Amino acid sequence: MIESNDISLPQLQNWMQGILVKGRPSADERMTIESVVNQSQRLSALRHLNIYRSSYIARLRACMQNQFVALAYALGAGLFESFADQYLDSYPSESYTLNTLGEKFPAFLEKTRPDASLEQKESWPDFIIELAGFEYRLSEIFDQEAAGDQMVLTPNTPDNLLKLTPVLHLFHHQFPICQYYLDFIQNKEPDLPFPGKTYCAVTRRDYKLGLFVIRGAQYHFLKSMQEGKSVKKSMKYLAKNFEFKIEDLEKIWPEWKSTFIASGFLSV
């Protein structure tokens, strides 16, 4: 039996976290609870702790729900809560902030997918895992530090000055993840989509995220610029690796340039 006067604050915090994330305490743990938590005239120490534990678990569930809103919709409230509870039991919060609570959730879903032991895999777990990973990345991008005021670009800005804005993130998926997310936040109540290779870009300006479905050629062009290549070298990269003609890219570039500037992809 542990007396509260015999343990340090870090030990007490670790004990408290262990009690909160476990299920029903053992007989020895109940004795410990009664020595650490005060009882009242109406409630025992264990009852006090159970009330706090229920509130704590509810807050963690709410945090998971907020970090994975589209995933919760796709799975349905009951199934999402079941997955979230299993995850929280396997990976209890270890940080002072709940911002990173769902960091390992995509990997957890991959590890525990129902067809993990089957040679022939179903497609819907792949969609769920991709959506979970995308949503968590959105939360990271929202919190990413960004530069302040930047030079206003126009279609006449010389190409040799252009580079990608630091807060531009490119994604490729095996499902239409970005479009599904956009449809969800626009209250279109999307159905589970069919597989299909898709590409998207995410930016953040004035603490607002911008999500853009882009074509494969645009993804590879922007990816090339992200690796440090100039506009001209990125065109040559597309021409060499994806069977584009330079003259065709030069014709379409003014349209791409205007779109990229308007979307906040480019800076100088």
Side-chain angles (χ1 to χ4, degrees), residues 31 34 40 44 123 139 144 150 152 210 232 254:
M31 294 175 64
E34 292 172 359
S40 65
S44 67
S123 63
S139 67
Q144 180 180 347
Q150 296 182 354
V152 176
K232 184 176 291 187

Side-chain angles (χ1 to χ4, degrees), residues 131 236 239 251:
L131 181 58
K236 290 180 178 179
K251 288 179 182 178

Side-chain angles (χ1 to χ4, degrees), residues 148-197:
D149 295 336
Q150 296 182 354
M151 175 181 171
V152 176
L153 305 182
T154 72
N156 295 323
T157 302
D159 290 350
N160 65 303
L161 297 180
L162 298 176
K163 60 183 180 181
L164 296 191
T165 181
V167 188
L168 174 68
H169 298 266
L170 302 171
F171 296 87
H172 65 92
H173 296 114
Q174 301 306 311
F175 287 82
I177 297 296
C178 185
Q179 188 61 59
Y180 183 90
Y181 184 85
L182 287 170
D183 288 345
F184 167 75
I185 63 175
Q186 293 168 9
N187 298 315
K188 294 183 179 180
E189 300 182 353
D191 295 324
L192 293 181
F194 292 104
K197 187 173 290 188

Side-chain angles (χ1 to χ4, degrees), residues 109-122 125:
L109 293 173
E110 175 70 52
K111 182 179 179 180
T112 59
R113 57 185 294 158
D115 59 355
S117 62
L118 302 179
E119 185 173 337
Q120 187 71 27
K121 298 289 193 295
E122 298 183 63

